[in-house]
Amino acid sequence: MTAAQIIASAYEDSGIIQPGGTVSSAQSTMALNRLNVLVKQLSAQPDMARGIKVWTRKRVTLALAKGQQTYLIGPASTDARASTQMGRTTLSAAEAASQTVLSITSNTDTTTYPGTTITMTASDIIGIQLDNGTIQWSTISGTPSTTATVADALTGAAASGNYVYWFTSRAQRMVEVESAVLRNSDMTDMEMGIYRDARQYDLAVSDKFADGTPTALLVEQMRIATCITLNSQPTDVTDQIIITGLYPQEDYDATTDDIAFPQECYGMLSWELAFLLSGSGGRWTQHMEANRQRAVQIYKNMYPEVTDAYFQCG
């Protein structure tokens, strides 16, 4: 279904328009705004049904920086080095400082995301492991083949075999972080602890500026980014953190947009939107409320095997 179909259904359910009636331009604009408000609210925890949001689950690769403890995940963070698809290759020859044309082993990668081929393209963000233990980030100019041209000259030497990372798009802010692992250069994962409370992190991590291999992280949800604070300052930039979490619900910019929910959720969306729109029509009956509650319960009871148990009054 499209946003327009959900909107028409909501207006019909609330009795504001007759079945098959025409939704005016003003009604459509208002309903599209309400729909965006509704789906963003459904991203959060209050519906007590986290498991049913599995279709918004993403795995984000966070590249580490030597000595850097805090990272932002979000498209508005220009220094963010996190993506849902980050490729990896190596330098096929030693590169000196000031070099801009780099010899690479391959412009594709099938190892970091098995079953998926990630290909370098023009304007991708690229990171080169330097011999001083840091990663220099730049962008790709032109179309890479056996070489990749970077916009910024290397600030230090890079030996043959050093890693080269790249990605196209920065990751979104995550509504919730479910788990995290530290993945080393051999693609071996180690589970990381997650602090969800700043006080707990402050008390548990006594030396927050110690150099070493991170074993835990603090997750803080900012307005436009997810803030990740490690329990130590990384020393090995070939390690990466793989975060599994829930993405925000999609924006609906036009009524022609497809609804990015499973089909089983359409009834709930229609009745919840009808409830939000009923104020403009001045009418909401007990029968309507019963239909709304039924649709919401069906929504909450989806996929019970992956939904957390909870208690509530009554």
Side-chain angles (χ1 to χ4, degrees), residues 44-212:
Q45 283 292 330
D47 67 350
M48 298 174 289
R50 180 180 63 183
I52 65 175
K53 299 170 188 167
V54 64
W55 72 90
T56 69
R57 181 175 293 152
K58 300 286 185 180
R59 287 174 176 83
V60 171
T61 299
L62 173 64
L64 301 180
K66 187 176 182 180
Q68 182 175 329
Q69 184 189 39
T70 302
Y71 302 80
L72 294 177
I73 297 177
S77 305
T78 56
D79 62 341
R81 310 302 180 199
S83 179
T84 56
Q85 287 195 327
M86 186 176 295
R88 186 185 77 169
T89 187
T90 57
L91 293 174
S92 59
E95 303 292 355
S98 302
Q99 184 64 268
T100 58
V101 180
L102 311 178
S103 299
I104 55 176
T105 304
S106 176
N107 65 351
T108 62
D109 176 32
T110 59
T111 59
T112 54
Y113 294 87
T116 301
T117 299
I118 304 172
T119 303
M120 283 186 183
T121 58
S123 300
D124 279 359
I125 298 172
I126 185 171
I128 304 94
Q129 178 192 0
L130 302 181
D131 292 343
N132 62 8
T134 65
I135 294 180
Q136 179 179 334
W137 292 94
S138 183
T139 55
I140 297 175
S141 302
T143 302
S145 54
T146 56
T147 61
T149 301
V150 295
D152 303 294
L154 294 185
T155 58
S160 177
N162 281 12
Y163 287 114
V164 176
Y165 307 95
W166 78 91
F167 61 91
T168 301
S169 301
R170 290 183 170 90
Q172 297 285 331
R173 172 186 69 89
M174 307 187 84
V175 173
E176 180 182 354
V177 171
E178 296 181 322
S179 63
V181 296
L182 186 73
R183 179 170 295 172
N184 64 22
S185 57
D186 294 329
M187 297 297 170
T188 301
D189 292 347
M190 177 188 72
E191 183 180 6
M192 301 186 72
I194 299 178
Y195 295 104
R196 304 184 188 277
D197 180 86
R199 182 175 181 273
Q200 181 188 38
Y201 169 84
D202 288 338
L203 294 176
V205 183
S206 57
D207 187 357
K208 299 175 177 60
F209 301 101
D211 293 332

